[in-house]
Amino acid sequence: MTIQRPATSGVPIPLSSILAVALLVLLHQSTPAHSASYYDQYSSAQQQQSTAYAIESSRRERNLDHWDADTLAAYLGLTTSPEDDAEYVPLPPQEDVYAGHDAAILFYAQWCPNCHSLAPNYDAIGTILEAGSVKSNLIMALFDCEKDATHMALCKAAGVKNYPTVMYIGSGSYHDTDPITARVVGRDKSAGPMGATPLELRRAVKFQGDWRYGDQVLDWIKAMRGLSRWHRLNTEGWLSVLRRGMFGMFRKPVARGKAGSLPVGVPPKLADVRAGGGSGSGAVEANALKKQVKTLEKEMESYDKLIETSNEAVLHASYTIDSLLLPTKPKDGELGADCMAEGSSYPPFVDVFAALKKSNGWDATAEPSVAATDGDAEGAALGANAATAASASAESKLSDEYILRSCVVDLTLDYCTRVSTRVTTEYLDELSNTPDAEYPALSELDGLLSARTEEVEHYCVDFDKCYVDEFKEESCRPEKCPFKNEVACRYTANCLDPRIKKEYMDALSGKIDTKAEGGKTAASTSAGTGAWGVV
């Protein structure tokens, strides 16, 4: 990868040669196909290939492998944590086995210009070393650290702190720092600019040189491969090595798999171990089972909540039907006792709109109020302990008027939504039989639907605006039930049923978050929030 410069001589250069060179330079600059640098050509090719190979599994292009998360985790000896799927933890030592060949990984990000600058040299190194072949016993891979959350978690577990980062995985343990320097300046600083490799990754080491020089990266990979080979030779045992060397001269050497390619993706040896078929305790399989159990537990919790919500909805529907058939009559002195609907059929019911008007219930809020006392000291003490008192008695925070207002708004919205749906459906059915020439314009549909809704229930047309303005206008606060449909008035009267009132009280109390900050109590629920999540 070195460049030799030709020696210059004192022979004068003819003018014709100079003109020819100048003409070639001009042609070179005017030709777009030749103006692109090798880096630009490589980037364009990589972009086209990445589009063509938009898949999730590992793949090999020429001498470089593009790894997925499972492949990198297998080579590093990592597995997902049973407590958190987004976290990777090391396998037990007995299950973190050597794949049978080495691997060099380039960790990169798509937005990283330095990564794209290193890519051509990295590709050239893979070609020089014949990466991916059995002869080289080396795989050179690329891994996109920011492809998704799983890739980011893996790179974090691998200790990747800079882009680009080159890591080597061999057969034995690597040491990128010494104990004394690490204790004095810290492991990261003593290891080099890329930081120390996590201790859990005992067979991995980071490249700490200058990635801008391809020779450095090539020499480092060769050195790491040599250390890995030495470790394999050392672990086989010297007696067996000498025995094979002594008697090898008397027999014909046997070819040991120099042809062929190394596996793409998770090697079979690592796949067997991660599936629980290795010599270890099957931690990967155990973690997978734990995750399945946790997933099933979460599903059971969601089903329990769904059943609980369904039961509450059934009870609410039962209360509504009971109250609609047999309306509640308040006792003397209670809210709505003097607001019985006039001219209604049997059985009589309370006009809740009249009750809200008489009691100023439209102005009721969820803010807790502290009763005034004769002594200022006693009032201050009550204010300081407002949060404790409020959490002990949620009912004291919500007045009957506020609960009634929330319920009436909730049921009114429900009724008006049903009216609007019915009107729209009927009108669309009519339009299905209308000739194209008479079909109204899209800009006219809203006005036509509003006019039809006003014919059915005038209050429903203004209700949306009233709701947004928090019912501040007097027209939004009718003195009696504004609905033409008496059943709708009876429907809103359900809000006085003690059981429905209790439901709204519990729901509204649960939405108010009381916090003690400087002796004050804050309410996070604004006025007008309905108990069933509608208002």
Side-chain angles (χ1 to χ4, degrees), residues 56-58 65-79 88-89 91 96 99 103-108 139 141-146 150-160 165 167-169 201 203-204 264-267 270 274:
E56 297 297 328
S57 58
S58 297
D65 286 25
H66 297 256
W67 276 0
D68 58 6
D70 292 338
T71 304
L72 177 62
Y75 275 90
L76 291 177
L78 298 174
T79 183
Y88 281 85
V89 295
L91 286 170
D96 181 15
I105 309 103
L106 169 60
F107 296 93
Y108 71 96
I139 286 179
L142 300 121
F143 190 78
D144 186 355
C145 281
E146 299 191 7
T150 303
H151 280 226
M152 293 180 69
L154 258 177
C155 290
K156 179 181 178 182
V160 176
T165 292
M167 180 176 287
Y168 195 91
I169 302 175
L201 309 181
R203 291 184 293 102
V264 178
V266 181
L270 299 183
R274 296 175 75 81

Side-chain angles (χ1 to χ4, degrees), residues 82-84 289-300:
E83 288 78 17
D84 186 2
L289 291 175
K290 289 180 181 179
K291 278 191 270 187
Q292 291 179 4
V293 171
K294 288 198 169 227
T295 302
L296 292 175
E297 289 177 350
K298 291 181 180 179
E299 291 180 356
M300 289 297 297

Side-chain angles (χ1 to χ4, degrees), residues 40-352:
D40 295 332
Q41 297 175 14
Y42 182 86
S43 299
S44 177
Q46 289 296 102
Q47 185 176 5
Q48 294 176 1
Q49 291 168 359
S50 62
T51 304
Y53 291 93
I55 56 177
E56 297 297 328
S57 58
S58 297
R59 68 180 188 276
R60 179 168 295 162
E61 296 177 8
R62 297 188 303 275
N63 296 98
L64 295 184
D65 286 25
H66 297 256
W67 276 0
D68 58 6
D70 292 338
T71 304
L72 177 62
Y75 275 90
L76 291 177
L78 298 174
T79 183
T80 54
S81 172
E83 288 78 17
D84 186 2
D85 292 343
E87 181 181 358
Y88 281 85
V89 295
L91 286 170
Q94 65 270 24
E95 294 193 8
D96 181 15
V97 298
Y98 177 55
H101 53 267
D102 300 349
I105 309 103
L106 169 60
F107 296 93
Y108 71 96
Q110 292 288 350
W111 55 264
C112 170
N114 293 339
C115 302
H116 291 284
S117 298
L118 173 59
N121 286 336
Y122 193 74
D123 186 24
I125 293 171
T127 303
I128 293 172
L129 298 179
E130 300 181 43
S133 65
V134 175
K135 179 181 178 181
S136 67
N137 203 48
L138 170 69
I139 286 179
M140 292 185 63
L142 300 121
F143 190 78
D144 186 355
C145 281
E146 299 191 7
K147 179 182 179 182
D148 52 34
T150 303
H151 280 226
M152 293 180 69
L154 258 177
C155 290
K156 179 181 178 182
V160 176
K161 301 178 180 179
N162 306 283
Y163 297 135
T165 292
V166 181
M167 180 176 287
Y168 195 91
I169 302 175
S171 63
S173 299
Y174 290 99
H175 304 281
D176 52 7
T177 183
D178 62 275
I180 299 178
T181 309
R183 184 177 293 273
V184 175
V185 299
R187 289 192 69 245
D188 283 340
K189 287 187 177 180
S190 64
M194 297 298 171
T197 307
L199 293 174
E200 298 82 7
L201 309 181
R202 57 187 181 87
R203 291 184 293 102
V205 64
K206 292 181 186 177
F207 172 67
Q208 303 291 348
D210 193 336
W211 58 265
R212 294 175 296 179
Y213 298 97
D215 290 335
Q216 284 193 23
V217 181
L218 175 61
D219 293 342
W220 179 79
I221 292 178
K222 287 181 176 180
M224 295 303 104
R225 186 169 62 169
L227 291 175
S228 179
R229 286 176 177 175
W230 174 260
H231 180 268
R232 291 200 306 273
L233 184 66
N234 189 34
T235 53
E236 286 179 359
W238 283 104
L239 291 177
S240 60
V241 173
L242 291 175
R243 186 165 55 253
R244 286 197 304 272
M246 186 182 303
F247 295 99
M249 65 183 67
F250 299 107
R251 63 175 182 266
K252 184 178 179 180
V254 180
R256 301 187 59 185
K258 293 297 182 182
S261 301
L262 294 174
V264 178
V266 181
K269 185 176 181 180
L270 299 183
D272 292 340
V273 174
R274 296 175 75 81
S279 59
S281 59
V284 176
E285 185 178 11
N287 288 345
L289 291 175
K290 289 180 181 179
K291 278 191 270 187
Q292 291 179 4
V293 171
K294 288 198 169 227
T295 302
L296 292 175
E297 289 177 350
K298 291 181 180 179
E299 291 180 356
M300 289 297 297
E301 290 178 2
S302 62
Y303 289 144
D304 291 340
K305 291 180 180 178
L306 180 61
I307 293 173
E308 183 181 354
T309 304
S310 301
N311 292 336
E312 291 176 355
V314 170
L315 284 175
H316 179 74
S318 176
Y319 298 157
T320 302
I321 295 174
D322 288 347
S323 182
L324 191 62
L325 297 174
L326 303 171
T328 301
K329 184 177 180 181
K331 298 178 182 179
D332 293 339
E334 292 182 346
L335 180 62
D338 55 347
C339 297
M340 301 301 295
E342 299 178 358
S344 62
S345 60
Y346 184 85
F349 63 94
V350 176
D351 189 337
V352 290

